[in-house]
Amino acid sequence: MNRIFPALFLALGLSLGLAACGGGATGQPPLAGARIGGPFTLTDQDGRQVRDGDFAGRYRIVYFGYTFCPDVCPTDMQKIGQALHLLDKQAPRTAAKLAPIFITVDPERDTPAAIKQFVNAFHPKIIGLTGAPATIAQVEKAYAVYAKKQPPGPGGGYMVDHVAIAYLMGPEGQPITTLPLEKDGAAIAAEIQRWVR
Ligand code: NI
């Protein structure tokens, strides 16, 4: 929900040397050495247990959101889906190395079935993960993701305030960079191609 937070977080928290414009991937990844990520055991959209280690050897796109999100999450996921479809066509070898992952910040409502319907709308390869609230909270912390359930509205429904960020992580789970969700699917695909070897 918040585009400013990641920028501040990145600028203040990590003191990065962001790669120069047009510099290619010759420099250090922006998130090299950042303490982001870590082991998890969650449940996928088919009800199977999934561990972070299951993605070993693949580059991961990790996005945190929730299926009831009225605006930002569906828009971001649509862009990620567009990027994946573009890569399928233009760079299938790169596409084959990717594991796109959606992790809910609303585990109380986001059942595997709800997540399955949501992720399938964007790209068939996207893995949607949920888990017990305490487990999800640990994963949010490991990924430095802010998310907070808001008080319910008149109808009883509630929103979850959360940072909208997509990490690109390497084959060993190391953070590489964030993807430019403020841009379009083509720009996101280009950023992925810049780092995936
Ligand atoms: Ni959202």
Side-chain angles (χ1 to χ4, degrees):
M1 294 289 188
N2 186 334
R3 300 261 180 235
I4 295 166
F5 187 88
L8 277 177
F9 154 73
L10 293 174
L12 300 174
L14 299 167
S15 62
L16 324 157
L18 281 168
C21 295
T26 48
Q28 276 275 89
L31 292 180
R35 291 173 63 186
I36 292 168
F40 60 71
T41 303
L42 293 168
T43 303
D44 76 5
Q45 68 266 43
D46 294 313
R48 288 179 298 223
Q49 204 173 68
V50 169
R51 289 188 170 80
D52 64 295
D54 297 343
F55 304 111
R58 284 193 283 167
Y59 288 77
R60 310 120 201 227
I61 296 164
V62 185
Y63 181 85
F64 287 81
Y66 68 116
T67 69
F68 285 81
C69 181
D71 40 39
V72 176
C73 292
T75 307
D76 286 347
M77 290 298 290
Q78 194 163 18
K79 290 180 183 183
I80 291 170
Q82 283 168 353
L84 294 171
H85 284 294
L86 276 174
L87 292 170
D88 285 342
K89 277 190 216 135
Q90 298 171 1
R93 285 182 56 210
T94 298
K97 293 177 185 174
L98 297 175
I101 302 166
F102 171 89
I103 302 179
T104 185
V105 295
D106 186 13
E108 290 170 49
R109 287 184 297 190
D110 277 343
T111 60
I115 290 182
K116 184 169 188 163
Q117 193 178 19
F118 183 76
V119 296
N120 280 353
F122 303 109
H123 192 282
K125 259 182 75 173
I126 300 173
I127 299 137
L129 300 178
T130 188
T135 309
I136 290 290
Q138 284 171 1
V139 177
E140 288 168 359
K141 194 175 172 197
Y143 281 78
V145 165
Y146 163 85
K148 194 171 192 311
K149 185 176 166 182
Q150 299 300 299
Y158 60 88
M159 310 256 279
V160 181
D161 194 19
H162 69 98
V163 64
I165 192 164
Y167 292 110
L168 180 65
M169 322 275 297
E172 289 96 41
Q174 74 279 26
I176 294 174
T177 190
T178 59
L179 298 176
L181 297 175
E182 73 284 3
K183 298 183 185 165
D184 62 6
I188 293 167
E191 186 65 17
I192 292 168
Q193 283 193 275
R194 192 173 165 207
W195 298 106
V196 173
R197 292 282 167 264

